[in-house]
Amino acid sequence: PGNSMKLLKDYKIFNLIKLTKNQNKSEWEKLISIAHIYQINASRDEVPIDLQVNFEFLKKARNLTLVSSSGSGVDPIDIKQCSNFGILVVNQAGGNSEAVAEHCISMIISLLKRISELDRHLRVGWEGSRKDFIGQNLHSKNIGLIGFGNVGKKMAEICHLAFKCKVMAYDPYVDDKIFKQFKVKRCSLEEILKKSDIISVHVPLTPETKNMFNKNIFKMMKKGSIFITSARGSIHNEKDLFNSLVSGHISGAGLDVWQTEPPHSNNPLLKLQNVIATPHMAGVTVESRNKMGEFVSEQIYDLFNGKPPLRPINKEIIPIFKSKIKMIKN
């Protein structure tokens, strides 16, 4: 991502090899077999299946010690298999948190003010009444965050400081002191769904969160509320969300992630006026890509110079990784 390739070259201790779509499978396998580090795009739909990190890939990567995701997500990486092979996995969590939070806030404001709807109507010669498109203020709204990691914290800061919102969050993996630090009320999932004017999702895609937002969960949401997600596709059920929007139970949705990316043009959600759609772009800004590039290069450099990983996924593999590094250096 960003300038990570340049930064790693500048360290002058790494030999960088880029895998491209112009190479055939046998060329990929040859290069993979000699690699000690594998840097991979965080979006599964942008990585060819033969280059995703699974059991078959790891059998060919005989010298591999480290897999590094370009973002916070690790969708193309089988973490369990990496651990079985004694390979450390790291990500770049937090590198694009400002960009993602700003994108989510933008979608919220656009939906509340009905900006995208008005824009489309004006472009086809609308001459109706402004009363038909009366919007709402974000100020003082109840915001429910599902997941309270790096992006969730940025969302809380913006919503508190700029809009005086009441922010609550659901995250069973975050300590109470973090909630208190950011002045966010810790709530059960059910309480957040019932009380929030806006729900914003910021959790990774795992077996626990897959299809988490289905028809039953959407029914529990406050009538007229807004659904926002910049997390991962498949956390929300697209068919169930469509039905909730058409019924009017949910008043609008801002979607940056999809089951298939980019979504097909015939996706029913794209036909709805009260849906804002972007193609997994929330974290893609000039500033965030540069920051992610710095995260990648600095973490890899530090790891190979004896420092602990800043963003490890399978921490239990760190001792094995350290022993492998010693062997490489010797």
Side-chain angles (χ1 to χ4, degrees), residues 82-323:
C82 283
S83 296
N84 290 341
F85 278 81
I87 294 168
L88 180 64
V89 180
V90 297
N91 69 2
Q92 317 313 321
N96 62 2
S97 56
E98 294 93 349
V100 176
E102 288 179 9
H103 193 95
C104 292
I105 295 294
S106 298
M107 291 196 292
I108 291 169
I109 291 173
S110 184
L111 287 164
L112 287 172
K113 305 293 184 182
R114 305 181 72 172
I115 292 170
S116 58
E117 288 182 74
L118 288 163
D119 178 80
R120 285 191 288 265
H121 278 76
L122 282 176
R123 290 173 189 274
V124 295
W126 174 77
E127 295 180 354
S129 170
R130 290 186 300 171
K131 293 180 181 179
D132 295 336
F133 291 94
I134 294 176
Q136 301 178 61
N137 292 343
L138 175 54
H139 192 275
S140 297
K141 287 285 189 291
N142 291 333
I143 307 291
L145 304 175
I146 309 301
F148 197 51
N150 292 294
V151 178
K153 291 168 189 171
K154 290 294 179 185
M155 288 284 291
E157 287 178 345
I158 296 170
C159 290
H160 272 315
L161 294 173
F163 300 101
K164 310 300 181 189
C165 293
K166 302 179 183 90
V167 184
M168 49 194 136
Y170 167 75
D171 195 324
Y173 302 102
V174 174
D175 194 273
D176 283 341
K177 65 182 180 181
I178 303 297
F179 284 82
K180 291 177 182 177
Q181 178 185 342
F182 286 86
K183 299 177 181 177
V184 170
K185 183 182 178 183
R186 178 171 217 146
C187 296
S188 66
L189 178 60
E190 183 177 357
E191 185 179 0
I192 283 182
L193 294 171
K194 289 182 176 179
K195 292 183 178 180
S196 297
D197 300 303
I198 297 129
I199 294 285
S200 192
V201 182
H202 306 286
V203 297
L205 176 60
T206 66
E208 181 184 4
T209 62
K210 187 173 183 179
N211 205 43
M212 178 182 184
F213 276 82
N214 51 43
K215 61 182 179 181
N216 295 324
I217 294 295
F218 287 128
K219 283 180 182 177
M220 291 174 66
M221 285 176 61
K222 183 178 179 181
K223 184 172 175 56
S225 59
I226 286 172
F227 177 77
I228 303 289
T229 181
S230 62
R232 282 295 185 271
S234 301
I235 291 174
H236 65 280
N237 183 296
E238 293 184 358
K239 182 179 178 181
D240 292 347
L241 175 59
F242 175 84
N243 291 335
S244 295
L245 287 162
V246 170
S247 72
H249 184 73
I250 295 175
S251 65
L255 309 176
D256 185 54
V257 288
W258 305 80
Q259 189 169 338
T260 300
E261 295 183 346
H264 297 303
S265 60
N266 62 355
N267 187 309
L269 287 164
L270 295 177
K271 310 299 180 185
L272 300 180
Q273 294 286 310
N274 56 344
V275 170
I276 294 177
T278 54
H280 207 151
M281 289 291 294
V284 184
T285 65
V286 172
E287 294 85 356
S288 67
R289 288 181 74 82
N290 286 336
K291 189 174 180 180
M292 298 283 260
E294 292 170 6
F295 273 28
V296 167
S297 57
E298 289 172 1
Q299 182 164 227
I300 290 174
Y301 179 80
D302 287 347
L303 276 168
F304 277 79
N305 281 278
K307 294 183 180 179
L310 295 175
R311 295 167 289 275
I313 301 299
N314 52 349
K315 295 180 182 179
E316 71 279 7
I317 303 301
I318 293 174
I320 299 173
F321 172 80
K322 288 181 177 178
S323 65

Side-chain angles (χ1 to χ4, degrees), residues 45-109:
D45 290 321
E46 294 182 4
V47 181
I49 188 66
D50 290 323
L51 295 180
Q52 295 187 21
V53 183
N54 50 34
F55 178 76
E56 292 301 319
F57 177 95
L58 292 169
K59 283 198 303 183
K60 302 178 181 76
R62 296 185 293 274
N63 292 293
L64 199 61
T65 62
L66 174 70
V67 175
S68 171
S69 167
S70 65
S72 60
V74 289
D75 299 5
I77 305 168
D78 188 325
I79 306 300
K80 184 178 180 180
Q81 288 297 343
C82 283
S83 296
N84 290 341
F85 278 81
I87 294 168
L88 180 64
V89 180
V90 297
N91 69 2
Q92 317 313 321
N96 62 2
S97 56
E98 294 93 349
V100 176
E102 288 179 9
H103 193 95
C104 292
I105 295 294
S106 298
M107 291 196 292
I108 291 169
I109 291 173

